[in-house]
Amino acid sequence: MGGEAEQAAVSLSHRVPDLGALELLLAVARLGSLGRAARARGISQPAASSRIRSMERQLGVALVERSPRGSRLTDAGALVTDWARRVVEAAEAFDAGAQALRGQRDSRLRVAASMTIAEYLLPGWLIALRARRPGTAVSLLAGNSSVVAERLLGGEADLGFVEGLAVPMGLDGTVIGHDRLVVVAAPSHPWARRRRELTAAELAAAPLILRERGSGTRQVLDAALARHGGLAAPLLELASTTAVKAAVVSEAAPSVLSELAVGEELTARRLVEIPVRELRLARELRAVWPAGQRPAGPARELLGLTRGAS
């Protein structure tokens, strides 16, 4: 019994005419002519005749009688037309519902992003998206990479952006650009006056001002310094890049931050970049989304605007 039902479901599409053929049959019934029906459907008369014949072969009954005066439905054709009308009305209802769902989806976009991307890259992308989709309301949730993953997996965001070593568990993603972490200190700090480069071991041993665990910056730094003795206990752990920069500028201690985040301070000499030997602090910037759910609508359009971020 179950096998028969499964077979019926699989073969239904082969036994029932497609929607275009049913719409053509309805046009023949309405207009009384295969030629007028073909023009109404935007196809040639030979193509319309071929489609009707194909439907007749599929159903095993004659549907239309053709004569010099026009085309008329057979008795079987009239019955099939009644059924076709119900199918087409159901398809129209289906299409209207799908349009409503797309409209609901496209009317809002919820973005979750780690702090560096949220502060230094997303504003430009969202302005560009606004120009393309002025009717889409966008909300931005900023947090570290772990928080972004939680928001996406909890259904609280449609698209996320993270910086780190890998795609968080449960998510799919794509690399949209690259970033570099730099060691920075106040101009008055002893490191800023050194003649020789800092070593990775010296950086690892120093009490720094750092972002909290779970941030993309901290993940990359922890991994890079693991073979140099690991990070010493931080002097301060702060949850925002802005707070970290303010503490470093006040001469509390050095830090390691995204090059994107400190460009202005380096140009103005409020901070100084400290060269480090034997250490490469590069990371990938990624767009992420729940596994198996490819971005659509405004989320997909925003994703397209992010290509080549750096």
Side-chain angles (χ1 to χ4, degrees):
M1 179 81 73
E4 292 176 3
E6 183 177 345
Q7 177 62 31
V10 169
S11 60
L12 186 61
S13 62
H14 299 292
R15 302 200 314 271
V16 176
D18 63 61
L19 199 58
L22 297 180
E23 289 177 317
L24 176 61
L25 183 63
L26 290 175
V28 173
R30 185 175 70 255
L31 300 172
S33 163
L34 192 59
R36 286 194 291 271
R39 287 193 294 275
R41 299 301 303 160
I43 60 175
S44 67
Q45 184 165 339
S49 296
S50 175
R51 196 153 200 182
I52 291 294
R53 285 194 298 270
S54 177
M55 185 164 41
E56 289 174 329
R57 285 194 300 271
Q58 185 178 23
L59 295 176
V61 295
L63 301 174
V64 177
E65 291 180 353
R66 303 157 186 83
S67 72
R69 295 188 302 276
S71 304
R72 63 176 292 274
L73 299 178
T74 64
D75 290 344
L79 187 58
V80 170
T81 299
D82 285 340
W83 298 337
R85 188 171 291 108
R86 295 178 217 167
V87 173
V88 170
E89 287 172 352
E92 289 171 345
F94 181 95
D95 180 57
Q99 286 188 49
L101 286 175
R102 286 194 298 271
Q104 182 180 11
R105 179 202 66 194
D106 294 353
S107 67
R108 68 170 188 175
L109 174 61
R110 301 167 302 166
V111 181
S114 52
M115 299 300 295
T116 301
I117 294 177
E119 292 181 22
Y120 300 100
L121 293 175
L122 259 173
W125 298 338
L126 294 181
I127 289 170
L129 181 68
R130 177 73 175 174
R132 296 187 182 190
R133 288 181 172 266
T136 299
V138 180
S139 60
L140 172 60
L141 303 166
N144 64 36
S145 296
S146 298
V147 169
V148 171
E150 290 171 8
R151 297 282 192 181
L152 287 165
L153 295 173
E156 300 174 58
D158 306 304
L159 184 65
F161 295 96
V162 296
E163 323 113 6
L165 299 172
V167 177
M169 188 174 296
L171 303 179
D172 287 337
T174 184
V175 174
I176 59 168
H178 297 84
D179 184 25
R180 185 173 72 98
L181 299 183
V182 294
V183 179
V184 291
S188 58
H189 192 275
W191 283 2
R193 298 191 295 271
R194 288 175 59 120
R195 292 185 178 275
R196 57 187 177 81
E197 292 181 330
L198 199 69
T199 66
E202 286 176 308
L203 178 65
L208 303 172
I209 300 170
L210 297 175
R211 286 288 308 279
E212 77 288 3
R213 291 187 179 276
S215 70
T217 301
R218 186 67 175 271
Q219 290 172 13
V220 172
L221 187 59
D222 280 336
L225 293 180
R227 64 190 183 92
H228 298 284
L231 272 171
L235 180 70
L236 289 173
E237 284 185 313
L238 301 173
S240 86
T241 300
T242 301
V244 172
K245 286 195 296 184
V248 178
V249 169
S250 71
E251 306 177 16
S255 184
V256 180
L257 290 169
S258 164
E259 190 173 33
L260 292 169
V262 296
E264 184 179 333
E265 286 77 11
L266 292 174
T267 300
R269 295 289 297 175
R270 291 194 296 273
L271 292 176
V272 177
E273 180 178 348
I274 311 300
V276 183
R277 292 202 314 270
E278 310 161 351
L279 195 64
R280 184 174 178 271
L281 294 173
R283 62 182 178 176
E284 294 174 326
L285 308 179
R286 288 184 175 84
V288 290
W289 53 87
Q293 300 178 29
R294 190 73 185 172
R300 186 165 121 187
E301 195 153 350
L302 177 60
L303 181 58
L305 291 169
T306 67
R307 300 300 184 182
S310 61

